[in-house]
Amino acid sequence: MTLAATATLLILALGVSADAFAVALGRGLQIRGKLLFNALVLAAAFGIAQAVMPLLGWLLGAAFGTYVDKIDHWIAFGLLAIVGGKMIWEAFRPDDPADELPEDPDHPDHRVTPREVVVLAIATSIDAFAVGISIAFSSLSIWAAVPVIGVVTFVLSFVAVFLGQRIGARFRTPAEVVGGVILILIGLQILLEHLGVL
């Protein structure tokens, strides 16, 4: 794999993992007790989900690749632009007052339950499915992308839980904006490469 492809893959992994980072940051703000254990559980769940979803998306994209060969670069760009735009829009959307956390330290929201871990892992990795479809229409290797995305998501999510404890949620919005911009730019790169501009 070339240096440029490696760099693109790492940047893509950072963009894809932005949702997981933001959610882990928020949960780190809320968790009380067993911080290391909860951080490991969340990070592992997010890393696995973010690695599996692109693979599933890639399988779907590869299955239909021959039928959309002439427009595959537009599909990749469109999917990444939509996912990236959605992340940016959600970053600036006002918080729902109903989502505010109760002050009681014994409240269930201060603990991470198995059901919550599964739900959050799936919710934060749905966008990665669309990214996987776009990878099928690009020159990137899905077999290189899967472990890189999984490891990057694990590390960032693990760190985010502790950051949430220390600094609160002030970096959640910038993380989502940066992630969204990265995905849009990678989609644009794929489009321009196929059009022969790059």
Side-chain angles (χ1 to χ4, degrees), residues 31-136:
I31 292 171
R32 302 290 184 270
K34 296 185 179 178
L35 187 62
L36 177 60
F37 173 78
N38 285 312
L40 285 171
V41 169
L42 275 177
F46 288 178
I48 291 169
Q50 292 281 11
V52 170
M53 282 297 206
L55 179 59
L56 296 177
W58 178 83
L59 290 171
L60 179 65
F64 292 97
T66 55
Y67 301 106
V68 294
D69 189 47
K70 294 184 192 282
I71 59 167
D72 57 4
H73 47 285
W74 287 103
I75 294 173
F77 169 69
L79 286 172
L80 290 174
I82 289 170
V83 171
K86 176 175 165 283
M87 288 174 66
I88 294 170
W89 179 77
E90 287 179 348
F92 292 107
R93 188 176 61 179
D95 290 332
D96 186 344
D99 293 337
E100 291 182 6
L101 190 69
E103 292 297 325
D104 178 12
D106 295 322
H107 192 276
D109 284 347
H110 289 296
R111 301 190 301 270
V112 177
T113 64
R115 178 179 175 275
E116 180 191 15
V117 169
V118 172
V119 169
L120 288 177
I122 293 172
T124 56
S125 64
I126 289 173
D127 290 348
F129 181 82
V131 171
I133 296 174
S134 71
I135 290 175

Side-chain angles (χ1 to χ4, degrees), residues 157-183:
S157 299
F158 182 78
V159 170
V161 173
F162 289 91
L163 282 176
Q165 281 276 306
R166 296 285 183 187
I167 59 173
R170 72 185 71 167
F171 289 117
R172 188 183 310 174
T173 295
E176 290 179 340
V177 171
V178 169
V181 170
I182 285 172
L183 293 183

